[in-house]
PDB file of all heavy atoms in Angstrom:
ATOM      1  N   MET V 294     121.010  46.892 212.566  1.00  0.00           N
ATOM      2  CA  MET V 294     119.739  46.194 212.378  1.00  0.00           C
ATOM      3  C   MET V 294     119.729  44.837 213.084  1.00  0.00           C
ATOM      4  O   MET V 294     120.748  44.155 213.116  1.00  0.00           O
ATOM      5  CB  MET V 294     119.507  45.944 210.876  1.00  0.00           C
ATOM      6  CG  MET V 294     119.561  47.209 210.048  1.00  0.00           C
ATOM      7  SD  MET V 294     119.592  46.834 208.271  1.00  0.00           S
ATOM      8  CE  MET V 294     118.053  45.961 208.075  1.00  0.00           C
ATOM      9  N   ALA V 295     118.567  44.467 213.600  1.00  0.00           N
ATOM     10  CA  ALA V 295     118.434  43.163 214.270  1.00  0.00           C
ATOM     11  C   ALA V 295     117.514  42.238 213.467  1.00  0.00           C
ATOM     12  O   ALA V 295     116.809  41.415 214.024  1.00  0.00           O
ATOM     13  CB  ALA V 295     117.899  43.360 215.688  1.00  0.00           C
ATOM     14  N   ASP V 296     117.533  42.374 212.157  1.00  0.00           N
ATOM     15  CA  ASP V 296     116.640  41.574 211.295  1.00  0.00           C
ATOM     16  C   ASP V 296     117.343  40.350 210.718  1.00  0.00           C
ATOM     17  O   ASP V 296     116.957  39.826 209.668  1.00  0.00           O
ATOM     18  CB  ASP V 296     116.130  42.446 210.138  1.00  0.00           C
ATOM     19  CG  ASP V 296     115.443  43.698 210.637  1.00  0.00           C
ATOM     20  OD1 ASP V 296     114.313  43.568 211.129  1.00  0.00           O
ATOM     21  OD2 ASP V 296     116.044  44.795 210.577  1.00  0.00           O
ATOM     22  N   GLY V 297     118.394  39.909 211.412  1.00  0.00           N
ATOM     23  CA  GLY V 297     119.247  38.857 210.852  1.00  0.00           C
ATOM     24  C   GLY V 297     118.626  37.478 210.778  1.00  0.00           C
ATOM     25  O   GLY V 297     119.282  36.541 210.310  1.00  0.00           O
ATOM     26  N   ASP V 298     117.370  37.315 211.247  1.00  0.00           N
ATOM     27  CA  ASP V 298     116.721  36.011 211.039  1.00  0.00           C
ATOM     28  C   ASP V 298     116.189  35.872 209.622  1.00  0.00           C
ATOM     29  O   ASP V 298     115.759  34.786 209.231  1.00  0.00           O
ATOM     30  CB  ASP V 298     115.568  35.824 212.035  1.00  0.00           C
ATOM     31  CG  ASP V 298     116.101  35.503 213.418  1.00  0.00           C
ATOM     32  OD1 ASP V 298     117.218  34.951 213.495  1.00  0.00           O
ATOM     33  OD2 ASP V 298     115.419  35.826 214.403  1.00  0.00           O
ATOM     34  N   ASP V 299     116.196  36.949 208.882  1.00  0.00           N
ATOM     35  CA  ASP V 299     115.754  36.906 207.486  1.00  0.00           C
ATOM     36  C   ASP V 299     116.923  36.402 206.631  1.00  0.00           C
ATOM     37  O   ASP V 299     117.840  37.153 206.286  1.00  0.00           O
ATOM     38  CB  ASP V 299     115.310  38.315 207.067  1.00  0.00           C
ATOM     39  CG  ASP V 299     114.813  38.343 205.622  1.00  0.00           C
ATOM     40  OD1 ASP V 299     115.064  37.379 204.873  1.00  0.00           O
ATOM     41  OD2 ASP V 299     114.173  39.346 205.254  1.00  0.00           O
ATOM     42  N   ALA V 300     116.885  35.109 206.312  1.00  0.00           N
ATOM     43  CA  ALA V 300     118.009  34.495 205.585  1.00  0.00           C
ATOM     44  C   ALA V 300     118.206  35.135 204.215  1.00  0.00           C
ATOM     45  O   ALA V 300     119.333  35.206 203.708  1.00  0.00           O
ATOM     46  CB  ALA V 300     117.776  32.989 205.440  1.00  0.00           C
ATOM     47  N   ASP V 301     117.094  35.631 203.621  1.00  0.00           N
ATOM     48  CA  ASP V 301     117.233  36.292 202.316  1.00  0.00           C
ATOM     49  C   ASP V 301     118.038  37.585 202.447  1.00  0.00           C
ATOM     50  O   ASP V 301     118.840  37.917 201.578  1.00  0.00           O
ATOM     51  CB  ASP V 301     115.852  36.619 201.728  1.00  0.00           C
ATOM     52  CG  ASP V 301     115.133  35.371 201.255  1.00  0.00           C
ATOM     53  OD1 ASP V 301     115.816  34.393 200.912  1.00  0.00           O
ATOM     54  OD2 ASP V 301     113.887  35.381 201.242  1.00  0.00           O
ATOM     55  N   LEU V 302     117.796  38.295 203.532  1.00  0.00           N
ATOM     56  CA  LEU V 302     118.553  39.537 203.736  1.00  0.00           C
ATOM     57  C   LEU V 302     120.030  39.215 203.985  1.00  0.00           C
ATOM     58  O   LEU V 302     120.928  39.878 203.446  1.00  0.00           O
ATOM     59  CB  LEU V 302     117.969  40.330 204.913  1.00  0.00           C
ATOM     60  CG  LEU V 302     118.715  41.621 205.262  1.00  0.00           C
ATOM     61  CD1 LEU V 302     118.716  42.616 204.100  1.00  0.00           C
ATOM     62  CD2 LEU V 302     118.119  42.278 206.522  1.00  0.00           C
ATOM     63  N   VAL V 303     120.278  38.182 204.799  1.00  0.00           N
ATOM     64  CA  VAL V 303     121.673  37.785 205.063  1.00  0.00           C
ATOM     65  C   VAL V 303     122.348  37.412 203.745  1.00  0.00           C
ATOM     66  O   VAL V 303     123.449  37.895 203.429  1.00  0.00           O
ATOM     67  CB  VAL V 303     121.735  36.595 206.061  1.00  0.00           C
ATOM     68  CG1 VAL V 303     123.167  36.079 206.198  1.00  0.00           C
ATOM     69  CG2 VAL V 303     121.186  37.015 207.425  1.00  0.00           C
ATOM     70  N   ASN V 304     121.678  36.586 202.954  1.00  0.00           N
ATOM     71  CA  ASN V 304     122.254  36.181 201.666  1.00  0.00           C
ATOM     72  C   ASN V 304     122.486  37.393 200.773  1.00  0.00           C
ATOM     73  O   ASN V 304     123.557  37.559 200.179  1.00  0.00           O
ATOM     74  CB  ASN V 304     121.324  35.164 200.986  1.00  0.00           C
ATOM     75  CG  ASN V 304     121.979  34.535 199.757  1.00  0.00           C
ATOM     76  OD1 ASN V 304     123.018  35.002 199.274  1.00  0.00           O
ATOM     77  ND2 ASN V 304     121.373  33.480 199.234  1.00  0.00           N
ATOM     78  N   ALA V 305     121.470  38.269 200.708  1.00  0.00           N
ATOM     79  CA  ALA V 305     121.581  39.434 199.817  1.00  0.00           C
ATOM     80  C   ALA V 305     122.782  40.288 200.195  1.00  0.00           C
ATOM     81  O   ALA V 305     123.548  40.734 199.333  1.00  0.00           O
ATOM     82  CB  ALA V 305     120.294  40.260 199.883  1.00  0.00           C
ATOM     83  N   LEU V 306     122.967  40.490 201.498  1.00  0.00           N
ATOM     84  CA  LEU V 306     124.112  41.310 201.934  1.00  0.00           C
ATOM     85  C   LEU V 306     125.425  40.589 201.673  1.00  0.00           C
ATOM     86  O   LEU V 306     126.384  41.170 201.161  1.00  0.00           O
ATOM     87  CB  LEU V 306     123.982  41.634 203.424  1.00  0.00           C
ATOM     88  CG  LEU V 306     123.119  42.837 203.776  1.00  0.00           C
ATOM     89  CD1 LEU V 306     122.844  42.868 205.277  1.00  0.00           C
ATOM     90  CD2 LEU V 306     123.787  44.142 203.336  1.00  0.00           C
TER      91      LEU V 306
END
Side-chain angles (χ1 to χ4, degrees):
M294 305 169 60
D296 304 286
D298 284 334
D299 181 345
D301 288 333
L302 177 61
V303 173
N304 189 348
L306 276 168

